[in-house]
Amino acid sequence: MTISVILTLFIGFAGGLAAGSGFVAFLTVLGIIPRLTQLTKTMKMIHYYEIAVITGALAGGFISLNNYTMHLNPLILIPIGLASGVFIGLLAAALTEVLNVFPILAKRIGIEGQIVVLIMAIVFGKIFGSLFHWLYLVYQ
């Protein structure tokens, strides 16, 4: 019994260490946070971005390990969801900017001069997919 508990603790710690190291390596090697501050022209606030990422990772880890739910008014959840979506969108934009995803994809599918059309297709696909998920799948 004791050995299985110790083994479970060791495996859980090792898995968390590996996932955390991968996350830090992802952010560091690709330079996501500095690029995000360049895109938003908020270089003076880079420490706040770093604190936000660390706090979010810790809060996400805590919430995922515990069965924690927040009972909030739906009107309060609207700005929280909007802010979360904006942050994820900016993070994704910084990542695609660093990796030059859109120019490579446009070249591969043969629409090099119409990158705006490609971006709008992705944006509208994300919007309609999210609406379908929340309106059709969640509220059934």
CSV table of all heavy atoms in Angstrom, one decimal, residues 43-99:
chain,number,residue,atom,x,y,z
A,43,MET,N,5.4,46.7,-24.3
A,43,MET,CA,6.7,46.2,-23.9
A,43,MET,C,7.0,46.5,-22.4
A,43,MET,O,7.7,45.7,-21.7
A,43,MET,CB,7.9,46.7,-24.7
A,43,MET,CG,7.9,46.2,-26.1
A,43,MET,SD,8.2,44.5,-26.2
A,43,MET,CE,9.9,44.4,-25.9
A,44,LYS,N,6.5,47.6,-21.9
A,44,LYS,CA,6.7,47.9,-20.5
A,44,LYS,C,6.0,47.0,-19.5
A,44,LYS,O,6.3,46.9,-18.4
A,44,LYS,CB,6.2,49.4,-20.2
A,44,LYS,CG,7.0,50.4,-21.0
A,44,LYS,CD,6.5,51.8,-20.7
A,44,LYS,CE,7.3,52.8,-21.6
A,44,LYS,NZ,6.7,54.1,-21.5
A,45,MET,N,5.0,46.3,-20.0
A,45,MET,CA,4.2,45.4,-19.2
A,45,MET,C,4.6,43.9,-19.3
A,45,MET,O,3.8,43.1,-19.0
A,45,MET,CB,2.7,45.6,-19.5
A,45,MET,CG,2.2,47.0,-19.3
A,45,MET,SD,0.5,47.0,-19.7
A,45,MET,CE,-0.1,48.4,-18.7
A,46,ILE,N,5.8,43.6,-19.8
A,46,ILE,CA,6.1,42.2,-20.0
A,46,ILE,C,6.1,41.4,-18.7
A,46,ILE,O,5.8,40.2,-18.7
A,46,ILE,CB,7.5,42.1,-20.7
A,46,ILE,CG1,7.7,40.7,-21.2
A,46,ILE,CG2,8.6,42.6,-19.8
A,46,ILE,CD1,8.9,40.6,-22.2
A,47,HIS,N,6.5,42.0,-17.6
A,47,HIS,CA,6.4,41.3,-16.4
A,47,HIS,C,5.0,40.9,-16.0
A,47,HIS,O,4.8,39.9,-15.4
A,47,HIS,CB,7.1,42.1,-15.2
A,47,HIS,CG,8.6,42.4,-15.5
A,47,HIS,ND1,9.5,41.3,-15.5
A,47,HIS,CD2,9.3,43.5,-15.8
A,47,HIS,CE1,10.7,41.8,-15.8
A,47,HIS,NE2,10.6,43.1,-16.0
A,48,TYR,N,4.1,41.8,-16.3
A,48,TYR,CA,2.7,41.4,-16.0
A,48,TYR,C,2.2,40.3,-16.9
A,48,TYR,O,1.4,39.4,-16.4
A,48,TYR,CB,1.8,42.6,-16.2
A,48,TYR,CG,2.0,43.8,-15.2
A,48,TYR,CD1,2.5,45.0,-15.7
A,48,TYR,CD2,1.8,43.6,-13.9
A,48,TYR,CE1,2.8,46.0,-14.8
A,48,TYR,CE2,2.1,44.6,-13.0
A,48,TYR,CZ,2.6,45.8,-13.4
A,48,TYR,OH,2.8,46.8,-12.6
A,49,TYR,N,2.6,40.2,-18.1
A,49,TYR,CA,2.3,39.0,-18.9
A,49,TYR,C,2.9,37.7,-18.3
A,49,TYR,O,2.2,36.7,-18.3
A,49,TYR,CB,2.8,39.2,-20.4
A,49,TYR,CG,2.0,40.1,-21.2
A,49,TYR,CD1,2.4,41.5,-21.4
A,49,TYR,CD2,0.9,39.7,-21.9
A,49,TYR,CE1,1.7,42.3,-22.2
A,49,TYR,CE2,0.2,40.5,-22.7
A,49,TYR,CZ,0.6,41.8,-22.9
A,49,TYR,OH,-0.1,42.7,-23.7
A,50,GLU,N,4.1,37.8,-17.9
A,50,GLU,CA,4.8,36.6,-17.3
A,50,GLU,C,4.1,36.2,-16.0
A,50,GLU,O,3.8,35.0,-15.8
A,50,GLU,CB,6.2,36.9,-17.0
A,50,GLU,CG,7.0,37.1,-18.3
A,50,GLU,CD,8.4,37.7,-18.0
A,50,GLU,OE1,8.7,38.1,-16.9
A,50,GLU,OE2,9.2,37.7,-19.0
A,51,ILE,N,3.7,37.2,-15.2
A,51,ILE,CA,3.0,36.9,-14.0
A,51,ILE,C,1.6,36.3,-14.3
A,51,ILE,O,1.2,35.3,-13.7
A,51,ILE,CB,2.8,38.1,-13.1
A,51,ILE,CG1,4.2,38.5,-12.5
A,51,ILE,CG2,1.8,37.9,-12.0
A,51,ILE,CD1,4.2,39.9,-11.9
A,52,ALA,N,0.9,36.8,-15.3
A,52,ALA,CA,-0.4,36.3,-15.7
A,52,ALA,C,-0.3,34.8,-16.2
A,52,ALA,O,-1.1,34.0,-15.9
A,52,ALA,CB,-1.0,37.2,-16.8
A,53,VAL,N,0.8,34.5,-17.0
A,53,VAL,CA,0.9,33.1,-17.5
A,53,VAL,C,1.2,32.2,-16.3
A,53,VAL,O,0.7,31.1,-16.2
A,53,VAL,CB,2.1,33.1,-18.5
A,53,VAL,CG1,2.4,31.7,-18.9
A,53,VAL,CG2,1.6,33.8,-19.8
A,54,ILE,N,2.1,32.6,-15.4
A,54,ILE,CA,2.4,31.8,-14.2
A,54,ILE,C,1.2,31.6,-13.4
A,54,ILE,O,0.9,30.4,-12.9
A,54,ILE,CB,3.6,32.4,-13.4
A,54,ILE,CG1,4.9,32.3,-14.3
A,54,ILE,CG2,3.8,31.7,-12.1
A,54,ILE,CD1,6.0,33.1,-13.7
A,55,THR,N,0.5,32.7,-13.1
A,55,THR,CA,-0.7,32.6,-12.2
A,55,THR,C,-1.8,31.7,-12.9
A,55,THR,O,-2.4,30.9,-12.2
A,55,THR,CB,-1.3,34.0,-11.9
A,55,THR,OG1,-0.2,34.8,-11.4
A,55,THR,CG2,-2.4,33.9,-11.0
A,56,GLY,N,-1.9,31.9,-14.2
A,56,GLY,CA,-2.9,31.0,-14.9
A,56,GLY,C,-2.6,29.6,-14.9
A,56,GLY,O,-3.4,28.7,-14.7
A,57,ALA,N,-1.3,29.3,-15.1
A,57,ALA,CA,-0.8,27.8,-15.0
A,57,ALA,C,-1.0,27.3,-13.6
A,57,ALA,O,-1.5,26.1,-13.5
A,57,ALA,CB,0.6,27.7,-15.4
A,58,LEU,N,-0.7,28.0,-12.6
A,58,LEU,CA,-0.9,27.5,-11.2
A,58,LEU,C,-2.4,27.4,-10.9
A,58,LEU,O,-2.8,26.4,-10.3
A,58,LEU,CB,-0.2,28.5,-10.2
A,58,LEU,CG,1.3,28.4,-10.2
A,58,LEU,CD1,1.8,29.5,-9.3
A,58,LEU,CD2,1.8,27.1,-9.8
A,59,ALA,N,-3.2,28.4,-11.3
A,59,ALA,CA,-4.6,28.3,-11.0
A,59,ALA,C,-5.3,27.1,-11.8
A,59,ALA,O,-6.1,26.4,-11.3
A,59,ALA,CB,-5.3,29.6,-11.4
A,60,GLY,N,-4.9,27.0,-13.1
A,60,GLY,CA,-5.4,25.9,-13.9
A,60,GLY,C,-5.0,24.5,-13.3
A,60,GLY,O,-5.8,23.6,-13.3
A,61,GLY,N,-3.8,24.4,-12.8
A,61,GLY,CA,-3.4,23.1,-12.2
A,61,GLY,C,-4.1,22.9,-10.9
A,61,GLY,O,-4.6,21.7,-10.7
A,62,PHE,N,-4.3,23.9,-10.1
A,62,PHE,CA,-5.1,23.7,-8.9
A,62,PHE,C,-6.5,23.3,-9.1
A,62,PHE,O,-7.1,22.4,-8.5
A,62,PHE,CB,-5.0,25.0,-8.0
A,62,PHE,CG,-5.9,25.0,-6.8
A,62,PHE,CD1,-5.4,24.3,-5.7
A,62,PHE,CD2,-7.1,25.6,-6.7
A,62,PHE,CE1,-6.2,24.3,-4.5
A,62,PHE,CE2,-7.9,25.6,-5.6
A,62,PHE,CZ,-7.4,24.9,-4.5
A,63,ILE,N,-7.2,24.0,-10.1
A,63,ILE,CA,-8.6,23.8,-10.4
A,63,ILE,C,-8.7,22.4,-11.0
A,63,ILE,O,-9.7,21.7,-10.7
A,63,ILE,CB,-9.1,24.9,-11.3
A,63,ILE,CG1,-9.3,26.2,-10.5
A,63,ILE,CG2,-10.5,24.5,-11.9
A,63,ILE,CD1,-9.6,27.4,-11.3
A,64,SER,N,-7.8,22.0,-11.9
A,64,SER,CA,-7.9,20.7,-12.5
A,64,SER,C,-7.7,19.5,-11.5
A,64,SER,O,-8.2,18.4,-11.7
A,64,SER,CB,-7.0,20.5,-13.7
A,64,SER,OG,-5.6,20.5,-13.2
A,65,LEU,N,-6.9,19.8,-10.4
A,65,LEU,CA,-6.7,18.7,-9.5
A,65,LEU,C,-7.8,18.6,-8.4
A,65,LEU,O,-7.9,17.6,-7.7
A,65,LEU,CB,-5.3,18.9,-8.7
A,65,LEU,CG,-4.1,18.7,-9.6
A,65,LEU,CD1,-2.9,19.1,-8.9
A,65,LEU,CD2,-4.0,17.3,-10.1
A,66,ASN,N,-8.6,19.7,-8.3
A,66,ASN,CA,-9.7,19.7,-7.3
A,66,ASN,C,-11.0,19.8,-8.1
A,66,ASN,O,-11.0,20.3,-9.2
A,66,ASN,CB,-9.5,20.9,-6.4
A,66,ASN,CG,-8.3,20.8,-5.5
A,66,ASN,OD1,-8.0,19.8,-5.0
A,66,ASN,ND2,-7.5,21.9,-5.5
A,67,ASN,N,-12.0,19.4,-7.5
A,67,ASN,CA,-13.3,19.5,-8.1
A,67,ASN,C,-13.9,20.8,-7.6
A,67,ASN,O,-14.8,20.9,-6.8
A,67,ASN,CB,-14.2,18.3,-7.7
A,67,ASN,CG,-15.5,18.2,-8.5
A,67,ASN,OD1,-15.6,18.9,-9.5
A,67,ASN,ND2,-16.4,17.3,-8.1
A,68,TYR,N,-13.5,21.9,-8.3
A,68,TYR,CA,-13.8,23.2,-7.8
A,68,TYR,C,-14.7,23.9,-8.9
A,68,TYR,O,-14.4,23.9,-10.1
A,68,TYR,CB,-12.5,24.0,-7.7
A,68,TYR,CG,-12.7,25.4,-7.2
A,68,TYR,CD1,-13.1,25.7,-5.9
A,68,TYR,CD2,-12.6,26.5,-8.0
A,68,TYR,CE1,-13.3,26.9,-5.4
A,68,TYR,CE2,-12.8,27.8,-7.6
A,68,TYR,CZ,-13.2,28.0,-6.2
A,68,TYR,OH,-13.4,29.3,-5.8
A,69,THR,N,-15.8,24.4,-8.4
A,69,THR,CA,-16.7,25.1,-9.3
A,69,THR,C,-17.1,26.5,-8.7
A,69,THR,O,-17.1,26.6,-7.5
A,69,THR,CB,-18.1,24.3,-9.5
A,69,THR,OG1,-18.7,24.1,-8.3
A,69,THR,CG2,-17.8,23.0,-10.2
A,70,MET,N,-17.2,27.4,-9.6
A,70,MET,CA,-17.6,28.8,-9.2
A,70,MET,C,-19.0,29.0,-9.6
A,70,MET,O,-19.3,28.9,-10.8
A,70,MET,CB,-16.6,29.8,-9.8
A,70,MET,CG,-15.2,29.7,-9.4
A,70,MET,SD,-14.1,30.8,-10.3
A,70,MET,CE,-14.8,32.3,-10.1
A,71,HIS,N,-19.8,29.4,-8.7
A,71,HIS,CA,-21.2,29.7,-9.0
A,71,HIS,C,-21.4,31.2,-9.1
A,71,HIS,O,-21.6,31.9,-8.1
A,71,HIS,CB,-22.1,29.1,-7.9
A,71,HIS,CG,-22.0,27.7,-7.7
A,71,HIS,ND1,-22.5,26.8,-8.6
A,71,HIS,CD2,-21.3,26.9,-6.7
A,71,HIS,CE1,-22.2,25.5,-8.1
A,71,HIS,NE2,-21.5,25.6,-7.0
A,72,LEU,N,-21.2,31.7,-10.3
A,72,LEU,CA,-21.3,33.1,-10.6
A,72,LEU,C,-22.5,33.5,-11.4
A,72,LEU,O,-23.0,32.6,-12.1
A,72,LEU,CB,-20.0,33.6,-11.3
A,72,LEU,CG,-18.7,33.4,-10.6
A,72,LEU,CD1,-17.5,33.8,-11.5
A,72,LEU,CD2,-18.7,34.3,-9.4
A,73,ASN,N,-22.9,34.7,-11.3
A,73,ASN,CA,-24.0,35.2,-12.2
A,73,ASN,C,-23.5,35.2,-13.6
A,73,ASN,O,-22.4,35.5,-14.0
A,73,ASN,CB,-24.2,36.7,-11.7
A,73,ASN,CG,-25.4,37.2,-12.4
A,73,ASN,OD1,-26.0,36.7,-13.4
A,73,ASN,ND2,-25.9,38.4,-11.9
A,74,PRO,N,-24.4,34.7,-14.5
A,74,PRO,CA,-24.0,34.7,-15.9
A,74,PRO,C,-23.6,36.0,-16.5
A,74,PRO,O,-22.8,36.0,-17.4
A,74,PRO,CB,-25.3,34.1,-16.6
A,74,PRO,CG,-26.0,33.4,-15.6
A,74,PRO,CD,-25.7,34.1,-14.3
A,75,LEU,N,-24.0,37.1,-16.0
A,75,LEU,CA,-23.6,38.4,-16.5
A,75,LEU,C,-22.2,38.7,-16.1
A,75,LEU,O,-21.5,39.5,-16.8
A,75,LEU,CB,-24.5,39.5,-16.0
A,75,LEU,CG,-26.0,39.5,-16.5
A,75,LEU,CD1,-26.8,40.5,-15.8
A,75,LEU,CD2,-26.0,39.6,-18.0
A,76,ILE,N,-21.7,38.1,-15.1
A,76,ILE,CA,-20.3,38.3,-14.7
A,76,ILE,C,-19.4,37.4,-15.6
A,76,ILE,O,-18.2,37.8,-15.8
A,76,ILE,CB,-20.1,38.0,-13.2
A,76,ILE,CG1,-20.8,39.0,-12.3
A,76,ILE,CG2,-18.6,37.9,-12.8
A,76,ILE,CD1,-20.9,38.7,-10.9
A,77,LEU,N,-19.9,36.3,-16.0
A,77,LEU,CA,-19.1,35.4,-16.8
A,77,LEU,C,-18.9,35.9,-18.2
A,77,LEU,O,-17.9,35.5,-18.9
A,77,LEU,CB,-19.8,34.0,-16.9
A,77,LEU,CG,-19.9,33.3,-15.6
A,77,LEU,CD1,-20.7,32.0,-15.8
A,77,LEU,CD2,-18.6,33.0,-15.0
A,78,ILE,N,-19.7,36.8,-18.7
A,78,ILE,CA,-19.5,37.4,-20.1
A,78,ILE,C,-18.2,38.1,-20.2
A,78,ILE,O,-17.4,37.8,-21.1
A,78,ILE,CB,-20.8,38.2,-20.5
A,78,ILE,CG1,-22.0,37.4,-20.6
A,78,ILE,CG2,-20.5,39.0,-21.7
A,78,ILE,CD1,-23.3,38.1,-20.8
A,79,PRO,N,-17.9,39.1,-19.3
A,79,PRO,CA,-16.6,39.8,-19.5
A,79,PRO,C,-15.4,38.8,-19.2
A,79,PRO,O,-14.3,39.0,-19.8
A,79,PRO,CB,-16.6,40.9,-18.5
A,79,PRO,CG,-17.8,40.8,-17.7
A,79,PRO,CD,-18.7,39.7,-18.3
A,80,ILE,N,-15.6,37.9,-18.3
A,80,ILE,CA,-14.5,36.9,-18.0
A,80,ILE,C,-14.2,36.1,-19.3
A,80,ILE,O,-13.1,35.9,-19.7
A,80,ILE,CB,-14.8,36.0,-16.8
A,80,ILE,CG1,-14.9,36.9,-15.5
A,80,ILE,CG2,-13.8,34.9,-16.7
A,80,ILE,CD1,-15.4,36.1,-14.3
A,81,GLY,N,-15.3,35.6,-19.9
A,81,GLY,CA,-15.1,34.8,-21.1
A,81,GLY,C,-14.5,35.6,-22.3
A,81,GLY,O,-13.7,35.1,-23.0
A,82,LEU,N,-15.0,36.9,-22.4
A,82,LEU,CA,-14.5,37.7,-23.4
A,82,LEU,C,-13.0,38.0,-23.2
A,82,LEU,O,-12.2,37.9,-24.2
A,82,LEU,CB,-15.2,39.1,-23.4
A,82,LEU,CG,-14.9,40.1,-24.5
A,82,LEU,CD1,-15.2,39.5,-25.9
A,82,LEU,CD2,-15.6,41.3,-24.3
A,83,ALA,N,-12.6,38.3,-22.0
A,83,ALA,CA,-11.2,38.5,-21.7
A,83,ALA,C,-10.3,37.3,-22.0
A,83,ALA,O,-9.2,37.4,-22.5
A,83,ALA,CB,-11.0,39.0,-20.3
A,84,SER,N,-10.9,36.1,-21.6
A,84,SER,CA,-10.1,34.9,-21.8
A,84,SER,C,-10.0,34.6,-23.3
A,84,SER,O,-8.9,34.2,-23.8
A,84,SER,CB,-10.9,33.7,-21.2
A,84,SER,OG,-11.0,33.9,-19.8
A,85,GLY,N,-11.0,34.9,-24.1
A,85,GLY,CA,-11.0,34.7,-25.5
A,85,GLY,C,-10.0,35.6,-26.2
A,85,GLY,O,-9.3,35.2,-27.1
A,86,VAL,N,-10.0,36.9,-25.7
A,86,VAL,CA,-9.0,37.9,-26.3
A,86,VAL,C,-7.6,37.4,-26.0
A,86,VAL,O,-6.8,37.5,-26.9
A,86,VAL,CB,-9.3,39.3,-25.8
A,86,VAL,CG1,-8.2,40.2,-26.1
A,86,VAL,CG2,-10.6,39.8,-26.3
A,87,PHE,N,-7.4,37.0,-24.8
A,87,PHE,CA,-6.0,36.5,-24.5
A,87,PHE,C,-5.6,35.3,-25.3
A,87,PHE,O,-4.5,35.3,-25.8
A,87,PHE,CB,-5.9,36.2,-23.0
A,87,PHE,CG,-4.5,35.8,-22.6
A,87,PHE,CD1,-3.5,36.7,-22.5
A,87,PHE,CD2,-4.2,34.4,-22.3
A,87,PHE,CE1,-2.2,36.3,-22.2
A,87,PHE,CE2,-3.0,34.0,-22.0
A,87,PHE,CZ,-2.0,35.0,-21.9
A,88,ILE,N,-6.4,34.4,-25.4
A,88,ILE,CA,-6.1,33.2,-26.2
A,88,ILE,C,-5.9,33.6,-27.7
A,88,ILE,O,-5.0,33.1,-28.3
A,88,ILE,CB,-7.2,32.1,-26.1
A,88,ILE,CG1,-7.3,31.6,-24.6
A,88,ILE,CG2,-7.0,30.9,-27.0
A,88,ILE,CD1,-6.0,30.9,-24.1
A,89,GLY,N,-6.8,34.4,-28.2
A,89,GLY,CA,-6.6,34.9,-29.5
A,89,GLY,C,-5.3,35.6,-29.8
A,89,GLY,O,-4.6,35.4,-30.8
A,90,LEU,N,-4.9,36.5,-28.8
A,90,LEU,CA,-3.6,37.2,-28.9
A,90,LEU,C,-2.4,36.2,-28.9
A,90,LEU,O,-1.5,36.3,-29.6
A,90,LEU,CB,-3.5,38.3,-27.9
A,90,LEU,CG,-4.3,39.5,-28.1
A,90,LEU,CD1,-4.2,40.4,-26.9
A,90,LEU,CD2,-3.9,40.2,-29.3
A,91,LEU,N,-2.6,35.2,-28.0
A,91,LEU,CA,-1.5,34.2,-27.9
A,91,LEU,C,-1.4,33.4,-29.1
A,91,LEU,O,-0.3,33.2,-29.6
A,91,LEU,CB,-1.8,33.3,-26.6
A,91,LEU,CG,-0.7,32.5,-26.1
A,91,LEU,CD1,0.5,33.4,-25.6
A,91,LEU,CD2,-1.1,31.6,-25.0
A,92,ALA,N,-2.5,33.0,-29.7
A,92,ALA,CA,-2.5,32.3,-31.0
A,92,ALA,C,-2.0,33.1,-32.1
A,92,ALA,O,-1.2,32.7,-33.0
A,92,ALA,CB,-3.9,31.8,-31.3
A,93,ALA,N,-2.3,34.4,-32.1
A,93,ALA,CA,-1.8,35.3,-33.1
A,93,ALA,C,-0.3,35.5,-33.0
A,93,ALA,O,0.4,35.5,-34.0
A,93,ALA,CB,-2.5,36.7,-33.0
A,94,ALA,N,0.2,35.6,-31.8
A,94,ALA,CA,1.7,35.7,-31.6
A,94,ALA,C,2.4,34.4,-32.1
A,94,ALA,O,3.4,34.5,-32.7
A,94,ALA,CB,2.0,36.0,-30.1
A,95,LEU,N,1.8,33.3,-31.8
A,95,LEU,CA,2.3,32.0,-32.2
A,95,LEU,C,2.4,31.9,-33.7
A,95,LEU,O,3.4,31.5,-34.3
A,95,LEU,CB,1.6,30.9,-31.6
A,95,LEU,CG,2.0,29.5,-31.9
A,95,LEU,CD1,3.5,29.2,-31.5
A,95,LEU,CD2,1.1,28.4,-31.3
A,96,THR,N,1.3,32.2,-34.4
A,96,THR,CA,1.3,32.1,-35.8
A,96,THR,C,2.2,33.1,-36.5
A,96,THR,O,2.8,32.9,-37.5
A,96,THR,CB,-0.1,32.3,-36.4
A,96,THR,OG1,-0.7,33.5,-36.0
A,96,THR,CG2,-1.1,31.2,-36.0
A,97,GLU,N,2.3,34.3,-35.8
A,97,GLU,CA,3.3,35.3,-36.3
A,97,GLU,C,4.7,34.8,-36.2
A,97,GLU,O,5.5,35.0,-37.2
A,97,GLU,CB,3.1,36.6,-35.5
A,97,GLU,CG,4.0,37.7,-35.9
A,97,GLU,CD,3.5,38.4,-37.2
A,97,GLU,OE1,2.3,38.2,-37.6
A,97,GLU,OE2,4.3,39.0,-37.9
A,98,VAL,N,5.1,34.2,-35.1
A,98,VAL,CA,6.4,33.7,-34.9
A,98,VAL,C,6.7,32.6,-35.9
A,98,VAL,O,7.8,32.5,-36.5
A,98,VAL,CB,6.6,33.2,-33.5
A,98,VAL,CG1,7.9,32.4,-33.4
A,98,VAL,CG2,6.6,34.3,-32.5
A,99,LEU,N,5.8,31.7,-36.2
A,99,LEU,CA,6.0,30.5,-37.0
A,99,LEU,C,5.7,30.8,-38.5
A,99,LEU,O,5.9,29.9,-39.3
A,99,LEU,CB,5.2,29.4,-36.5
A,99,LEU,CG,5.5,28.9,-35.1
A,99,LEU,CD1,4.6,27.7,-34.7
A,99,LEU,CD2,7.0,28.4,-35.1
